[in-house]
């Protein structure tokens, strides 16, 4: 789980005008391109949903509290990989409609235009007929921070800000529970769960 802030520079062109910083960053940091003060556009929370089969229940629990999804696809591997398929299934189960697909590791295949295009076409074929069909596919390099500004732009412009009602009583969503009782415990000795 992580928080981030997305800022916009009033002078720089799109997508250079967008930048992201961790949530501890002071408001209105200077733009890396022109040193102009930026404006806070959005607060974003990320929940990493590991797709390994032993963590599938955890992944589905995390997905249950999400408004939008970033589907990360390794650009240097054929698509879909098993974990990618599981993540798309979770998107379908949770009925998420706001999805951005990230074609990651583009730096590894950047010099081979055919490899990048082939991977892009595999992604397009993979999402056909799903909730992700028609979603933007953004080539990125997480390691080199390539196209992060474009991702920030799409997150601000493509993901709607959910309407929240702060006047109603809060609702707590239980995403996991643990039984703290020993197997075979007598009813009168049972304790609650965590």
């Amino acid at each position: 789980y992580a928080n981030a802030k997305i800022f916009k520079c009033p002078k720089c062109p799109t997508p250079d005008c967008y930048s992201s910083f961790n949530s501890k960053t002071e408001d209105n940091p200077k733009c890396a391109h022109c040193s102009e003060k930026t404006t806070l556009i959005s607060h974003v929370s990320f929940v990493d949903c590991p797709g390994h089969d032993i963590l599938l229940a955890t992944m589905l629990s995390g997905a249950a509290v999400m408004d939008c999804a970033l589907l990360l696809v390794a650009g240097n591997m054929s698509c879909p990989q098993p974990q990618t398929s599981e993540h798309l299934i979770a998107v379908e189960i949770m009925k998420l409609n706001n999805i951005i697909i990230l074609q990651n590791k583009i730096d590894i295949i950047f010099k081979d235009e055919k490899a990048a295009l082939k991977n892009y076409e595999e992604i397009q074929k993979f999402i056909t007929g799903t909730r992700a069909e028609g979603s933007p596919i953004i080539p990125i390099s997480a390691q080199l921070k390539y196209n992060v500004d474009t991702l920030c732009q799409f997150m601000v412009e493509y993901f709607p800000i959910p309407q929240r009602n702060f006047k109603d009583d809060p609702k707590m969503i239980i995403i996991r529970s643990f039984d703290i009782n020993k197997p075979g415990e007598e009813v009168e000795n049972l304790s609650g769960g965590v």
Side-chain angles (χ1 to χ4, degrees):
Y1 177 82
N3 286 327
K5 293 178 177 179
I6 297 176
F7 296 90
K8 186 174 183 182
C9 174
K11 287 190 175 179
C12 290
T14 301
D16 293 339
C17 60
Y18 289 96
S19 57
S20 64
F21 295 92
N22 69 41
S23 59
K24 294 179 185 177
T25 302
E26 63 184 59
D27 286 350
N28 310 105
K30 289 185 178 179
C31 175
H33 301 289
C34 72
S35 298
E36 182 75 20
K37 274 193 163 188
T38 60
T39 303
L40 177 64
I41 301 295
S42 183
H43 288 268
V44 181
S45 296
F46 297 95
V47 179
D48 186 14
C49 295
H52 311 284
D53 56 351
I54 58 171
L55 298 172
L56 193 58
T58 304
M59 187 256 294
L60 289 172
S61 296
V65 296
M66 294 181 196
D67 299 308
C68 309
L70 298 173
L71 183 64
L72 192 66
V73 177
N76 64 331
M77 302 173 122
S78 64
C79 178
Q81 293 291 307
Q83 290 177 4
T84 311
S85 295
E86 291 170 358
H87 281 116
L88 188 55
I89 290 168
V91 166
E92 295 286 327
I93 291 170
M94 297 304 153
K95 298 182 178 165
L96 291 173
N97 292 318
N98 301 307
I99 304 154
I100 295 174
I101 299 162
L102 304 176
Q103 184 185 20
N104 194 22
K105 301 184 181 180
I106 200 71
D107 53 307
I108 296 173
I109 59 172
F110 196 73
K111 294 178 183 173
D112 185 355
E113 189 177 313
K114 289 181 183 177
L117 184 58
K118 180 181 181 226
N119 182 257
Y120 176 84
E121 289 168 351
E122 288 174 345
I123 294 169
Q124 288 281 36
K125 183 178 177 185
F126 170 59
I127 63 173
T128 299
T130 70
R131 289 181 174 274
E133 185 173 4
S135 296
I137 300 173
I138 302 173
I140 67 164
S141 170
Q143 284 287 87
L144 300 179
K145 298 185 178 8
Y146 172 74
N147 252 359
V148 171
D149 50 1
T150 301
L151 172 58
C152 289
Q153 175 190 354
F154 270 78
M155 288 174 62
V156 169
E157 294 176 2
Y158 186 76
F159 288 160
I161 296 175
Q163 295 298 311
R164 306 287 188 213
N165 182 347
F166 296 106
K167 294 183 180 179
D168 281 352
D169 292 335
K171 293 181 183 176
M172 300 296 288
I173 300 171
I174 299 171
I175 59 173
R176 290 180 76 187
S177 64
F178 303 90
D179 185 359
I180 60 172
N181 299 294
K182 294 179 182 174
E185 188 70 57
E186 296 296 324
V187 172
E188 59 272 0
N189 297 330
L190 288 175
S191 298
V194 176

